[in-house]
Amino acid sequence: MLLAKIGLDGHDRGIKVVARALRDGGNEVIYLGLHHTPAEIVASAIQEDADAIGLSIHSAAHMTLFEEVLKLLKKEKATDIAVFGGGIIPDEDIRDLKKQGIREIFTPGTPLDEIVQFVKKLKR
């Protein structure tokens, strides 16, 4: 799976903790780091043959950036790559993101085991 900080957001402590938990849970994790565009993230996920993309955002640009990732996956015929996210995202936006095709959104304070179990279910 591929994890990335999307956009100009520089808060990366949470995604690093999640990456570690997912690795400890037996997953192969590629963390791209900070400040990536949707195009860079999608290209990397396809190149790495990722099963999922996990996006982290705290910059309030989630609606635009997450939607762009989904559009690019569709354009590249890679909709089999699941997309989930985390960060500071209002409940009403979470509902809209899920309607667009984002599989799950994890907000601050979500137990790490909940994220690990979610990823395990994706693999089935």
Side-chain angles (χ1 to χ4, degrees):
M1 95 177 32
L2 183 129
L3 299 180
K5 291 295 294 184
I6 192 167
L8 299 176
D9 179 11
H11 299 92
D12 65 347
R13 182 180 301 182
I15 196 167
K16 287 178 177 177
V17 170
V18 170
R20 177 61 148 296
L22 290 171
R23 280 189 201 116
D24 290 350
N27 298 285
E28 180 182 345
V29 177
I30 299 164
Y31 172 50
L32 287 184
L34 297 169
H35 310 299
H36 288 280
T37 67
E40 290 170 331
I41 293 166
V42 169
S44 295
I46 291 169
Q47 180 181 359
E48 296 292 342
D49 195 27
D51 296 321
I53 297 171
L55 302 172
S56 173
I57 193 161
H58 293 97
S59 67
H62 48 273
M63 296 303 290
T64 304
L65 294 173
F66 283 30
E67 180 181 20
E68 184 66 18
V69 168
L70 293 173
K71 283 182 185 177
L72 289 168
L73 286 170
K74 187 174 183 178
K75 179 181 175 190
E76 296 295 329
K77 297 178 177 44
T79 55
D80 59 320
I81 300 174
V83 180
F84 64 98
I88 300 173
I89 301 174
D91 290 340
E92 58 272 13
D93 290 351
I94 291 172
R95 286 189 292 277
D96 290 342
L97 289 167
K98 286 182 176 182
K99 286 179 188 174
Q100 290 177 16
I102 300 297
R103 296 296 256 310
E104 189 60 79
I105 296 290
F106 300 100
T107 55
T110 300
L112 293 172
D113 190 55
E114 187 176 322
I115 300 169
V116 172
Q117 293 306 314
F118 166 79
V119 169
K120 283 183 181 180
K121 288 178 187 175
L122 283 179
K123 291 181 165 186
R124 291 183 199 155

